[in-house]
Amino acid sequence: NGSGNADDEFGSLMTDDSASRAARNVSNMTGGRLATQAVLLVSAFVIPRVLGLETFGLYAALMAVVAMLDAVATGGLQMAEIRYFAPIWRSGDRQRALELGSSIWLSRLVLSGLAGLVAVTWLAGIGSLGIEMRLAVLAGLVVASRAALEATRHLFLSIGQVRRMAVFEVLRSLLTLVLVVVVFEWSGDLTGVFAALPVGYLLLLAAAAWLLLRVLPLRLGLFNWAELRPLLGFSGLTLIGSIAW
C-alpha cells in the first residue's frame, strides 16, 4: 500500500511536469507566432513603400516562387519529424534517434539545394518577368538557404526546444525586413537585396546548426535509408497537402 501511494505521487508529479512543459511550449509557440506576424504586418506596409510599385511587383513574384519551393523542399518530412522522430527522441533510444534525425535533416538539406536549382530554371524561363540570369541565380540561393534554415530550425520542435524554434522564426522575418529595406535604399535594385538575403539566412543557419548539434549531434555518417524509407508514404501525402495549400 505504501508502494502504491509512492507510485501515485510520482505519477502525479510526472503529470504536473508534463502539463507545465506543455503550457510553456504553447506559450513560446504562441508568442513566437504573434511576434512573427507582427513583423510580417510591418513588412506589408514598409516594403511596398520602399520598393515602389513596379519593383515591389517583381519582388512579390520572386518571393512567391521562394514560398512555393520552400514547401516543396520539405519533402513532407517536417510532419514525419514530429510523428516519428520526436517519440524516439523522448524514449531515450539515442542511437536510433541520431540515425533517423540525421537521415531526415540531411535529406531536407539535399532537397533545399535541389529546390534552389529548380528556382533558377523556373525564373530564368519566365520571359514575361524579364529576369536576368544573375537575379534568377540569386533567387535560387535564397530558396536553398531559406529552406536549409527551415530544415534546421524545425528540428528544435521535435527535441522540445520550442523557444529556440520560435526565436529563429522571428529572426528570419525580422532579418528579411531589415535587409530588404536597408540594402534597397543603398543599392537601388533587387539584385543587391537578393544577394544579401542568402548571406543573412546562411548566418542564421550556422547559428541554428551550432545550437542544434550541441544537443543532437547529427552527421552524414549516421544517414540510414532503412530508417527513412518507412516515412516516405506519410511524407508524400504531407507534401501533396503542403503544395495544395
Side-chain angles (χ1 to χ4, degrees), residues 19-101:
S20 298
R21 185 168 61 250
R24 287 196 302 271
N25 288 341
V26 170
S27 177
N28 289 331
M29 183 75 77
T30 303
R33 187 56 54 87
L34 289 174
T36 299
Q37 292 301 318
V39 174
L40 293 177
L41 181 62
V42 173
S43 300
F45 283 99
V46 173
I47 291 179
R49 291 180 178 275
V50 172
L51 298 185
L53 184 61
E54 183 175 350
T55 303
F56 176 71
L58 180 56
Y59 171 81
L62 291 170
M63 293 306 289
V65 171
V66 170
M68 285 185 280
L69 291 178
D70 205 21
V72 173
T74 66
L77 290 169
Q78 77 279 19
M79 295 304 297
E81 289 176 15
I82 299 172
R83 180 170 179 176
Y84 296 101
F85 168 72
I88 296 173
W89 171 259
R90 290 196 302 269
S91 73
D93 189 347
R94 181 179 175 84
Q95 183 60 32
R96 191 181 175 201
L98 288 176
E99 288 182 358
L100 182 56

Side-chain angles (χ1 to χ4, degrees), residues 145-146 149 168 171-172 175-176 179 193-207:
S145 57
R146 175 169 154 154
L149 171 59
F168 276 103
L171 288 176
R172 185 191 66 190
L175 181 67
T176 300
L179 287 178
V193 171
F194 277 82
L197 285 175
V199 175
Y201 293 155
L202 287 174
L203 289 174
L204 286 181
L205 171 60

Side-chain angles (χ1 to χ4, degrees), residues 222-234:
L222 291 175
F223 182 90
N224 188 338
W225 173 249
E227 289 284 353
L228 188 64
R229 184 171 52 201
L231 280 58
L232 297 183
F234 175 79

Side-chain angles (χ1 to χ4, degrees), residues 105-185:
W105 187 50
L106 292 169
S107 296
R108 290 192 63 178
L109 292 181
V110 170
L111 288 172
S112 299
L114 292 176
L117 293 176
V118 171
V120 175
T121 304
W122 185 0
L123 292 171
I126 304 178
S128 60
L129 289 180
I131 298 175
E132 298 179 354
M133 179 56 71
R134 182 184 178 188
L135 182 56
V137 171
L138 291 173
L141 291 175
V142 171
V143 170
S145 57
R146 175 169 154 154
L149 171 59
E150 181 62 19
T152 306
R153 183 186 73 87
H154 198 268
L155 274 167
F156 285 119
L157 177 62
S158 297
I159 62 175
Q161 297 189 0
V162 177
R163 179 179 296 178
R164 285 182 175 177
M165 176 188 172
V167 166
F168 276 103
E169 184 179 29
V170 176
L171 288 176
R172 185 191 66 190
S173 301
L174 185 59
L175 181 67
T176 300
L177 171 60
V178 171
L179 287 178
V180 170
V181 172
V182 172
V183 175
F184 186 80
E185 290 283 6

